[in-house]
Amino acid sequence: GAPAPAPPEPDKRPVLEEVLYAVCREGVPSEKADAAFARLKDAFIDWNEVRVSTVQEVADVLADLPDAGDRAKRVVSLLQEVFEERYAYDLGDIAK
């Protein structure tokens, strides 16, 4: 018979989260990026709350990463761009 479909990869993030994670991951060990990204997800209700937060609030969550302020600015502006273009945070169609 036909081979069974491969199970989805564990911890496969939505495209948007991959991009946001990449901002955290830049130039730091993955453990540190993982911790910062987890804090970012835990500290806010959803990505929209991150988008409407101040850069300083986001930077405080990313404080143990180098250049937390610059990273926070990129996270907020990325979310703003996605929101203005799509009024949503699903970039799933981009992955196709």
Side-chain angles (χ1 to χ4, degrees), residues 44 50 53-63 68-70 72-73 76:
F44 300 95
V50 177
S53 296
T54 66
V55 169
Q56 187 58 57
E57 287 170 319
V58 179
D60 290 346
V61 174
L62 301 177
D70 288 344
K73 202 176 298 177
V76 172

Side-chain angles (χ1 to χ4, degrees), residues 10-44:
D11 294 347
K12 188 101 171 87
R13 293 186 187 96
V15 174
L16 176 65
E17 292 191 11
E18 284 292 355
V19 176
L20 295 172
Y21 176 77
V23 174
C24 295
R25 179 72 176 85
E26 211 169 276
V28 300
S30 56
E31 303 75 45
K32 202 166 191 174
D34 291 348
F37 187 74
R39 280 197 314 278
L40 192 60
K41 288 187 78 170
D42 290 345
F44 300 95

